[in-house]
């Protein structure tokens, strides 16, 4: 940040609305800088520009001849033709296929490529899509250009030269935060600060009560910040403590990531009306359903916020039935109250707040919304989980808040605020007089941006600071012997309890060593009990420590990748976002490696999938067997019997080998250098065993490193390519590890296989039948291919599925290419539902004598996911269900089409094509 910045600017980059506030650092007002709102100029109609207090977070992508360029021209020059803000929201509600909304929610969606052009979700190929990062950048670009236009041509006043603070949900993970920074960079804001939204909301309250906050809060009181916006729900606990004789605000706890907010309420209301329309035989397309959701949002705000009795929702027709196809439905106050209050803010029992949801959440339009919709249950669980923190820091028996600050558009209605207060009273047995008092927040749409600007002032030394220090101490496990593989019994203190976020951590007193160019594990611990430990102190690990999920990585050093031990100095920073940024700086040169630890809510040790842990001497003996058999001296019999020999050494059948052991075997196999003189049986057995032990290419922290090492052998190809068995095992190997391949590697495989599988007119394939099947199964497991590539491969595969005697592997391959639910690939790589339905129709036209393989294949391509833009249409699904009734064993497969059924572990193995390693669950539910 420029030291000469004239302004500090707070930007609330919201799911539904974005807002900007600022303070003039050079104004010199008595008592400090005054924070003002920046009214953002934007299109509010064709050719109409107005200054509004918020910029609606909507992006409209006009068609080529839909809107004239003059109609969407802004007061400043632009290099794009998309529209942000109020006009985008209002016009896009009528043309939802070109409207991008909830981009912020997509930034934290780990099952899609957030840098890929996937929005609007489900839009036709003719729509020039944008990525979630580009959408967020578009809003920030509009804000930057609007600010700069208002400030004239003076570069010193340009937004990119000011202190800019951007807000993010407290529950955003490190990836989503990094993507937010990346979006700011695309928008021309190269250096920004981030602040969590609940903390910014509290800073906005402090801003208003800077001179008399002592009259509202007393030491020892608990303040709950409850922030429910359009896309996320955040909880934060703050207290006021006496420190060195003066009161100091401190943040105690931050809630989990919850993709749950006003959008979910709109979807729930839309579902209610969809049921009423279905009774009138009105079926909604994806675009009309989006229109319904937008209108339900407007109706909800008027009924809950303005106390309207009812609102009529009107959906115009499509195409030639624009007028005749218009339908109307009524949304009453009773329906809204029942849906929103009872569905999202129920009065749950105190002993029920930790109950896990028994059903999938509303997953419309591709977003993985929280499975449990009851925000009050999440709040109760949050308060329950942090009772120990409250007891330890504040000395109170319960985490019952004394004060509540409500923030976010979803919490504007007083009736919702009252329901949350009632829920808290219900849990803690409070009287009316004991109910938490509400801290005033007169401008919830602007509070976060105002607080962000105030936080910027605090960073310059003005205003009242909230100590967002660590409620726990954090430690890094160390070992006295560099090569000692056991769990460390000592740890160095990295973050002492109460350390302010934003603090630099220096550990000059200690010297460390790390192992390079091999997988290493950094063990991390926390403690809420220990006091007095200071950064850099080395202490014994005992029962007062909680072990956290370790960070596993590879410290790459040198061009030749030689494994060595390197002296390093440890440098660290405890960031404002509650993460520990750790660097290892080489003591022998300028090299520096960064390790990022996520410390938010990392209080539970992750369960290890392995049910069996093998004794170290048996594992070492297994390594000796591998080296012995693949030394080049073993005969064919010994090579063929290696699996039985390994099973005997560890006294476990092959199918029961735990994940940790099979990855150890894979490491030993990868360490064997390729030999040009390798016999065919040596090579085929090596590939078979390696593929088995490295399958499915993911699941262990070091699998990406292993697959990357294996990929180096891909270009060279098999050592004995003329041997049919070697060629088949080659394709099986890559199919088994495909889940761990980078998208670029999968594209390379797809491109290389195009001439191998393609047939010219009158040209007969040179592939043996079994090898051809293995290649198709490999292609089917490349889930990270673009949807258009999968469509191309599926069309080619259908040419080989001509009758009922088709090989089952081909049906399996087609169903994987057209699957609605992917095992590991991003959801944006699913083929269009119409394409999958057409493939199902082709299969249904074949007179099958047995349904053993065709039924699961069709079910895989037509199963219901809950995302209507990914699911086959109702009409298509109905045709498939009618076809299924002709088979006796159809019931289990029909169920997948009739309701959303999460993929179970047994089903994953069937879909994957073989059993997964013991204890490994591949699919990550949405």
């Amino acid at each position: 940040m420029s030291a000469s910045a004239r302004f500090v600017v707070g930007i609330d980059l919201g799911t539904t609305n974005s807002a900007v506030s600022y303070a003039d650092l050079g104004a010199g007002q008595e008592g400090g800088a005054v924070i003002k709102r920046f009214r953002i100029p934007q299109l509010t109609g064709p050719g109409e520009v107005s200054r509004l207090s918020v910029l609606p977070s909507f992006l409209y992508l006009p068609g080529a001849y839909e809107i004239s360029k003059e109609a969407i021209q802004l007061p400043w020059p632009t290099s794009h033709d998309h529209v942000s803000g109020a006009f985008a929201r209002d016009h896009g509600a009528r043309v939802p296929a070109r409207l991008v909304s909830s981009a912020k929610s997509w930034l934290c969606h780990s099952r899609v490529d957030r840098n890929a052009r996937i929005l609007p979700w489900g839009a036709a190929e003719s729509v020039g899509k944008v990525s979630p990062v580009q959408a967020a950048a578009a809003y920030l670009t509009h804000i930057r250009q609007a600010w700069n236009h208002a400030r004239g041509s003076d570069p010193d006043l340009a937004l990119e030269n000011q202190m800019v603070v951007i807000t993010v949900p407290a529950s955003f993970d490190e990836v989503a935060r990094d993507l937010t920074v990346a979006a700011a960079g695309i928008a021309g804001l190269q250096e920004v600060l981030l602040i969590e939204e609940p903390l910014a909301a509290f800073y906005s309250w402090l801003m208003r009560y800077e001179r008399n906050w002592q009259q509202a809060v007393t030491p020892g009181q608990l303040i709950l910040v409850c922030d429910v916006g359009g896309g996320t729900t955040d909880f934060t606990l703050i207290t006021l403590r006496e420190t060195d004789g003066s009161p100091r605000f401190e943040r105690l706890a931050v809630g989990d990531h919850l993709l749950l907010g006003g959008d979910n309420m709109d979807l729930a209301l839309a579902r209610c009306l969809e049921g009423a329309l279905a009774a009138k035989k009105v079926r909604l397309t994806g675009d009309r359903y989006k229109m319904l959701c937008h209108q339900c949002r407007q109706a909800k705000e008027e009924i809950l916020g303005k106390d309207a009795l009812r609102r009529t929702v009107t959906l115009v027709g499509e195409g030639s039935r624009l007028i005749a196809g218009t339908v109307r439905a009524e949304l009453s106050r009773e329906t809204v109250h029942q849906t929103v209050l009872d569905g999202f803010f129920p009065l749950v029992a105190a002993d029920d707040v930790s109950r896990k949801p028994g059903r999938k959440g509303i997953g419309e339009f591709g977003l993985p919304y929280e499975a449990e919709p009851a925000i009050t249950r999440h709040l109760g669980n949050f308060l329950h989980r942090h009772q120990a923190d409250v007891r330890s820091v504040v000395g109170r028996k319960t985490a019952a808040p004394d004060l509540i600050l409500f923030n976010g558009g979803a919490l504007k209605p007083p009736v919702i605020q009252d329901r949350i207060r009632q829920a808290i009273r219900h849990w803690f047995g409070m009287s009316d007089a004991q109910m938490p008092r509400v801290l005033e927040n007169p401008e919830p749409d602007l509070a976060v941006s105002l607080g962000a600007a105030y936080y910027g002032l605090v960073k310059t030394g003005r205003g009242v600071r909230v100590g967002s220090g660590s409620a726990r101490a954090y430690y890094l496990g160390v070992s006295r012997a560099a090569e000692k593989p056991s769990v460390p019994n000592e740890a160095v203190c990295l973050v002492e309890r109460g350390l302010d976020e934003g603090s630099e951590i220096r550990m000059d007193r200690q010297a460390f060593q790390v192992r390079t160019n091999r997988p290493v594990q950094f063990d991390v611990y926390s403690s809420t009990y220990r006091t007095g430990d200071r950064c850099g102190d080395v202490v014994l690990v005992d029962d007062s420590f909680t072990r956290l999920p370790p960070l596993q990585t590879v410290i790459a050093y040198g061009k030749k990748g030689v494994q060595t031990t390197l002296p390093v100095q440890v440098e660290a920073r405890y960031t404002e976002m509650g993460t520990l940024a750790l660097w290892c700086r080489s003591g022998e040169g300028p090299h520096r490696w960064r390790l990022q630890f996520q410390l938010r809510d990392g209080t539970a040790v992750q369960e290890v999938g392995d049910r069996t842990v093998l004794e170290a001497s048996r594992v070492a003996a297994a390594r000796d067997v591998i080296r012995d058999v693949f030394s080049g001296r073993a005969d064919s019999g010994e090579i063929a019997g290696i699996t039985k020999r390994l099973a005997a050494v560890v006294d476990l059948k092959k199918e029961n080998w735990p994940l940790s052991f099979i990855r150890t075997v894979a490491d030993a196999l990868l360490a064997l250098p390729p030999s040009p003189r390798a016999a065919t049986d040596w090579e085929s057995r090596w590939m078979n065993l390696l593929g088995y032990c490295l399958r499915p290419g993911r699941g262990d922290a070091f699998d990406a490193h292993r697959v990357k090492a294996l990929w180096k052998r891909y270009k060279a190809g098999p050592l004995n390519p003329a041997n049919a068995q070697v060629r088949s095992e080659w394709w099986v190997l890559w199919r088994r590890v495909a889940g761990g391949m980078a998208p670029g590697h999968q594209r390379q495989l797809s491109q290389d296989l195009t001439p191998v599988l393609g047939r010219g007119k009158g040209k007969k394939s040179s592939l043996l039948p079994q090898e051809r099947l293995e290649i198709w199964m490999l292609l089917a497991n490349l889930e990270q291919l673009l949807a258009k590539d999968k469509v191309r491969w599926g069309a080619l595969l259908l040419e080989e599925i001509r009758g009922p005697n088709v090989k089952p592997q081909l049906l399996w391959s087609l169903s994987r290419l057209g699957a609605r639910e992917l095992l590991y690939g991003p959801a944006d790589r699913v083929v269009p539902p119409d394409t999958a339905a057409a493939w199902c129709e082709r299969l249904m036209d074949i007179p099958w004598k047995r349904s053993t393989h065709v039924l699961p294949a069709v079910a895989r391509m037509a199963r219901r996911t809950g995302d209507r833009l990914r699911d086959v249409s109702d009409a298509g699904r109905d045709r498939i269900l009618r076809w299924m009734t002709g088979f006796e064993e159809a019931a289990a497969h029909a169920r997948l089409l009739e309701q959303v059924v999460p993929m179970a572990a047994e089903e994953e193995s069937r879909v994957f094509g073989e059993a997964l390693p013991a204890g490994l669950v591949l699919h990550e539910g949405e």
Side-chain angles (χ1 to χ4, degrees):
M1 235 68 60
S2 172
S4 60
R6 170 72 179 271
F7 298 97
V8 56
V9 183
I11 300 176
D12 172 16
L13 187 62
T15 305
T16 307
N17 292 298
S18 297
V20 181
S21 299
Y22 67 97
D24 187 342
L25 296 173
Q29 296 95 337
E30 184 179 350
V34 175
I35 297 177
K36 302 177 181 179
R37 298 177 300 176
F38 175 62
R39 298 180 65 84
I40 306 169
Q42 59 197 278
L43 287 166
T44 51
E48 177 184 323
V49 176
S50 304
R51 294 171 62 90
L52 304 180
S53 59
V54 297
L55 177 77
S57 302
F58 294 83
L59 188 69
Y60 188 74
L61 311 173
Y65 305 104
E66 178 190 354
I67 305 175
S68 68
K69 291 186 178 181
E70 291 74 18
I72 58 173
Q73 188 172 348
L74 289 163
W76 52 85
T78 59
S79 59
H80 53 74
D81 58 359
H82 57 246
V83 183
S84 301
F87 177 64
R89 177 197 61 197
D90 299 339
H91 183 74
R94 298 189 291 272
V95 193
R98 293 185 170 275
L99 180 65
V100 176
S101 60
S102 303
K104 181 176 173 180
S105 297
W106 286 92
L107 284 179
C108 57
H109 188 350
S110 62
R111 290 298 304 276
V112 299
D113 181 353
R114 286 159 277 187
N115 283 301
R117 294 176 178 270
I118 60 175
L119 301 180
W121 184 250
E125 291 296 326
S126 59
V127 177
K129 300 180 184 179
V130 297
S131 71
V133 174
Q134 287 173 318
Y139 309 141
L140 291 172
T141 298
H142 183 106
I143 289 169
R144 180 181 63 82
Q145 292 175 335
W147 171 278
N148 290 351
H149 178 74
R151 297 293 163 188
S153 58
D154 188 347
D156 290 338
L157 302 182
L159 186 61
E160 53 267 37
N161 295 322
Q162 311 311 313
M163 177 186 284
V164 178
V165 182
I166 298 178
T167 66
V168 294
S171 53
F172 253 23
D173 63 17
E174 197 63 33
V175 175
R177 295 173 185 192
D178 286 345
L179 291 172
T180 302
V181 174
I186 294 171
L189 306 175
Q190 299 300 328
E191 295 185 35
V192 298
L193 289 172
L194 299 182
I195 183 176
E196 297 168 350
E197 289 164 4
L199 190 58
F202 185 69
Y203 269 124
S204 73
W205 180 84
L206 275 177
M207 177 195 73
R208 290 190 302 275
Y209 295 92
E210 189 176 49
R211 297 175 182 272
N212 60 349
W213 56 263
Q214 296 92 338
Q215 299 175 16
V217 187
T218 58
Q221 286 188 316
L222 277 182
I223 305 164
L224 168 66
V225 182
C226 189
D227 187 355
V228 182
T232 55
T233 290
D234 277 320
F235 306 121
T236 292
L237 275 178
I238 296 172
T239 191
L240 183 63
R241 296 180 65 192
E242 289 282 354
T243 304
D244 297 328
S246 61
R248 178 178 186 264
F249 286 105
E250 291 186 8
R251 183 179 59 193
L252 295 181
V254 173
D256 291 333
H257 174 261
L258 297 174
L259 194 61
L260 178 65
D263 288 351
N264 302 79
M265 301 172 200
D266 303 337
L267 286 166
L269 292 170
R271 284 192 169 183
C272 289
L273 291 188
E274 185 183 27
L277 293 171
K280 301 177 182 179
K281 300 187 183 302
V282 177
R283 283 191 169 181
L284 301 179
T285 62
D287 284 347
R288 294 187 88 191
Y289 188 73
K290 286 182 179 180
M291 296 163 98
L292 180 62
C293 291
H294 286 301
Q295 294 205 34
C296 283
R297 171 179 51 81
Q298 296 169 347
K300 176 196 69 178
E301 292 171 355
E302 292 184 10
I303 290 174
L304 290 177
K306 301 177 182 178
D307 210 27
L309 291 176
R310 57 181 47 82
R311 281 291 179 265
T312 299
V313 172
T314 303
L315 297 180
V316 298
E318 295 177 306
S320 60
R321 302 185 70 249
L322 186 62
I323 304 300
T326 298
V327 295
R328 292 178 176 82
E330 188 174 83
L331 201 58
S332 67
R333 182 195 294 177
E334 181 182 5
T335 299
V336 172
H337 277 229
Q338 182 178 3
T339 302
V340 174
L341 291 180
D342 296 343
F344 293 88
F345 301 96
L347 294 175
V348 296
D351 57 358
D352 192 35
V353 295
S354 298
R355 177 178 65 81
K356 292 185 178 180
R359 63 179 181 83
K360 189 178 177 70
I362 300 175
E364 300 285 1
F365 307 133
L367 286 169
Y369 291 121
E370 186 64 33
E372 171 56 69
I375 292 173
T376 43
R377 178 171 282 112
H378 290 293
L379 174 58
N381 188 34
F382 166 73
L383 295 174
H384 173 74
R385 286 192 298 110
H386 289 287
Q387 284 188 146
D389 294 327
V390 172
R391 188 182 304 115
S392 173
V393 178
V394 186
R396 295 171 48 157
K397 293 182 179 179
T398 72
D402 303 286
L403 305 159
I404 299 183
L405 178 65
F406 291 110
N407 193 64
L411 298 186
K412 280 184 182 180
V415 64
I416 293 180
Q417 296 184 11
D418 186 63
R419 176 61 69 91
I420 293 175
R421 295 176 69 222
Q422 293 289 345
I424 293 173
R425 180 179 72 169
H426 183 59
W427 297 327
F428 295 104
M430 296 175 170
S431 65
D432 287 347
Q434 294 173 317
M435 286 177 63
R437 180 164 50 86
V438 177
L439 295 178
E440 184 183 8
N441 186 9
E443 297 181 293
D445 286 334
L446 302 175
V448 169
S449 69
L450 291 166
Y454 186 80
Y455 173 70
L457 290 177
V458 169
K459 296 290 286 184
T460 67
R462 316 181 195 189
V464 180
R465 179 181 176 85
V466 177
S468 46
S470 176
R472 295 174 174 80
Y474 291 92
Y475 304 81
L476 179 69
V478 295
S479 175
R480 294 293 179 183
E483 300 297 326
K484 189 175 180 181
S486 60
V487 175
N489 59 5
E490 291 184 319
V492 59
C493 181
L494 296 175
V495 177
E496 57 196 64
R497 281 186 57 187
L499 184 71
D500 283 337
E501 293 183 344
S503 299
E504 299 286 345
I505 302 167
R506 299 184 179 277
M507 283 176 278
D508 299 331
R509 292 179 293 158
Q510 302 293 339
F512 301 93
Q513 290 184 323
V514 297
R515 294 177 294 167
T516 65
N517 299 313
R518 76 190 92 176
V520 291
Q521 176 170 300
F522 295 86
D523 293 283
V524 190
Y525 303 86
S526 72
S527 177
T528 57
Y529 305 103
R530 300 181 63 89
T531 57
D533 292 340
R534 296 292 176 257
C535 297
D537 289 352
V538 177
V539 296
L540 291 175
V541 176
D542 56 25
D543 293 341
S544 66
F545 289 81
T546 298
R547 191 165 185 238
L548 305 182
L551 186 146
Q552 296 171 310
T553 188
V554 175
I555 301 292
Y557 177 69
K559 294 182 179 180
K560 297 183 179 180
V562 176
Q563 295 183 357
T564 185
T565 300
L566 190 70
V568 296
Q569 289 292 325
V570 175
E571 303 170 353
R573 176 179 171 82
Y574 186 48
T575 73
E576 289 86 351
M577 306 309 299
T579 58
L580 178 64
L582 182 67
W583 289 268
C584 291
R585 181 185 291 279
S586 171
E588 298 181 352
H591 304 285
R592 195 169 183 248
W593 300 268
R594 181 177 179 179
L595 308 172
Q596 190 80 13
F597 293 86
Q598 178 56 255
L599 301 185
R600 285 277 185 262
D601 303 302
T603 57
V605 179
Q606 289 181 338
E607 183 180 1
V608 177
D610 288 348
R611 299 302 183 195
T612 303
V613 179
L614 300 179
E615 201 272 323
S617 63
R618 294 191 176 190
V619 177
R623 290 196 199 97
D624 291 339
V625 168
I626 293 169
R627 284 192 290 266
D628 180 47
V629 170
F630 288 104
S631 64
R633 297 186 297 272
D635 58 31
S636 297
E638 290 177 300
I639 293 174
I642 185 173
T643 301
K644 289 183 179 180
R645 190 171 166 186
L646 288 172
V649 166
V650 298
D651 196 22
L652 276 177
K653 293 181 179 179
K654 175 184 175 183
E655 57 270 22
N656 294 330
W657 291 351
L659 182 65
S660 58
F661 174 67
I662 65 172
R663 292 305 194 259
T664 299
V665 173
D667 290 338
L669 292 167
L670 284 168
L672 296 172
S675 171
R677 298 187 301 276
T680 56
D681 57 350
W682 187 101
E683 185 178 17
S684 61
R685 197 63 189 147
W686 179 86
M687 289 191 291
N688 181 277
L689 185 58
L690 176 60
Y692 181 83
C693 291
L694 194 46
R695 76 193 198 285
R698 59 199 292 125
D700 181 81
F702 295 125
D703 281 348
H705 176 71
R706 295 182 177 106
V707 174
K708 184 178 179 180
L710 176 61
W711 182 255
K712 294 178 181 179
R713 304 193 182 192
Y714 171 74
K715 278 297 182 183
L719 301 173
N720 298 279
N723 183 272
Q725 181 64 29
V726 167
R727 291 201 309 272
S728 286
E729 292 292 355
W730 175 257
W731 303 123
V732 171
L733 169 63
W734 295 110
R735 169 175 63 82
R736 281 173 155 173
V737 305
M741 286 184 189
H745 293 162
Q746 293 199 1
R747 287 194 300 271
Q748 181 72 57
L749 262 172
S750 175
Q751 292 168 6
D752 292 346
L753 288 171
T754 298
V756 175
L757 279 180
R759 291 181 182 177
K761 287 187 177 181
K763 184 179 179 182
K764 188 175 181 180
S765 173
S766 61
L767 295 174
L768 294 175
Q770 184 60 38
E771 184 179 1
R772 192 173 188 86
L773 289 177
E774 298 297 354
I775 292 176
W776 273 122
M777 294 179 72
L778 162 60
L779 281 166
N781 199 28
L782 302 182
E783 289 192 346
Q784 301 206 66
L785 291 181
L786 296 175
K788 63 179 182 180
D789 292 326
K790 294 181 181 180
V791 171
R792 176 173 60 87
W793 282 119
L796 186 62
L797 178 54
L798 277 170
E799 295 179 9
E800 302 192 20
I801 303 176
R802 298 179 180 276
N805 296 323
V806 66
K807 293 289 186 181
Q809 293 95 326
L810 297 183
L811 291 173
W812 178 89
S813 299
L814 182 68
S815 71
R816 285 294 304 277
L817 288 169
R820 300 298 84 205
E821 196 80 80
L822 301 183
L823 283 171
Y824 66 86
D828 55 282
R829 304 299 165 89
V830 173
V831 304
D834 290 347
T835 299
W839 293 356
C840 290
E841 295 280 0
R842 289 279 298 272
L843 295 184
M844 291 189 296
D845 287 340
I846 297 174
W848 300 98
K849 297 177 181 178
R850 298 182 61 188
S851 62
T852 306
H853 300 292
V854 70
L855 272 179
V858 171
R860 207 167 287 139
M861 293 188 287
R863 78 181 296 157
R864 189 188 290 266
T865 69
D867 177 7
R868 68 181 61 226
L869 298 182
R870 204 188 334 161
D871 287 347
V872 170
S873 68
D874 291 342
R877 197 161 45 241
D878 288 346
R879 287 195 299 274
I880 295 171
L881 286 169
R882 288 195 298 271
W883 171 79
M884 282 185 170
T885 58
F887 301 98
E888 291 183 3
E889 62 273 34
H893 302 291
R895 178 170 169 263
L896 300 180
L897 277 69
E898 294 168 340
Q899 54 187 287
V900 177
V901 181
M903 197 178 292
E906 314 84 68
E907 186 184 356
E908 290 169 11
S909 293
R910 291 195 299 272
V911 173
F912 185 66
E914 62 182 323
L916 296 173
L920 179 63
V921 177
L922 179 64
H923 181 66
E924 301 173 7
E926 296 181 17

